[in-house]
Amino acid sequence: EILDDSDADDTLGRIMLIRMELAGDHYDYKIWDGSTWSASWTSIDTTAGGENITYDGHFGATVDKATNNIYFAYVTDNVTLGTDDDIRTAIYNATLNSWNVATADVLTNDTKGITNAKIAFDQASGAVYAVYSARTTPATAATATASTTCYA
């Protein structure tokens, strides 16, 4: 996921690159400062559990263009779909240049097979929307479903 705040009110033209590091089971980021990338990948959530490698694109991020804060939603603990699947969120504070991982999961120990999580920010209202896809019967593709939740 590449987040470019150069069209926001930030005149620095920074770009953030977020990845899921499959070998380490965590999410990392780097920042482009206008001339160079961060020297190394930095973890967003070091307590994220294992992720399912079949469904490996299970995160999303969005930028608040007024503050340049970044909202991030991601799936964790879904190595075996439907056993204890979680969805977590985090916010990158652009002023402090730091991540704050939510203390409570959006969805915890779910028995559906969570395959994806995305997030959106409504610039006009300030509402944050999280959406995820899952299988009501984890091993059965025909049982796929989606759910949306608003966090104001």
Side-chain angles (χ1 to χ4, degrees):
E1 186 95 10
I2 299 174
L3 298 169
D4 179 359
D5 67 4
S6 60
D7 62 342
D9 294 333
D10 182 357
T11 58
L12 299 176
R14 296 176 294 181
I15 298 172
M16 180 178 287
L17 181 64
I18 300 173
R19 73 172 184 182
M20 186 181 85
E21 213 284 78
L22 290 173
D25 286 331
H26 56 269
Y27 297 88
D28 300 327
Y29 74 101
K30 278 188 172 191
I31 294 178
W32 172 262
D33 66 9
S35 60
T36 59
W37 283 102
S38 307
S40 61
W41 290 96
T42 304
S43 291
I44 296 170
D45 180 357
T46 58
T47 64
E51 283 77 46
N52 186 289
I53 60 171
T54 301
Y55 300 98
D56 62 353
H58 38 269
F59 66 91
T62 187
V63 177
D64 174 346
K65 294 184 180 192
T67 65
N68 295 308
N69 291 343
I70 297 170
Y71 296 88
F72 182 56
Y74 52 103
V75 178
T76 187
D77 292 334
N78 72 332
V79 172
T80 302
L81 293 178
T83 54
D84 64 349
D85 305 6
D86 299 338
I87 296 176
R88 292 186 186 167
T89 57
I91 299 172
Y92 180 79
N93 184 311
T95 303
L96 300 176
N97 293 317
S98 64
W99 283 97
N100 180 27
V101 176
T103 55
D105 293 346
V106 173
L107 193 62
T108 301
N109 296 333
D110 199 84
T111 57
K112 291 185 288 299
I114 299 176
T115 57
N116 207 329
K118 298 296 179 194
I119 196 164
F121 179 76
D122 183 336
Q123 199 67 48
S125 70
V128 176
Y129 296 90
V131 62
Y132 69 91
S133 60
R135 294 178 173 184
T136 53
T137 305
T140 308
T143 65
T145 186
S147 179
T148 304
T149 305
C150 177
Y151 302 92

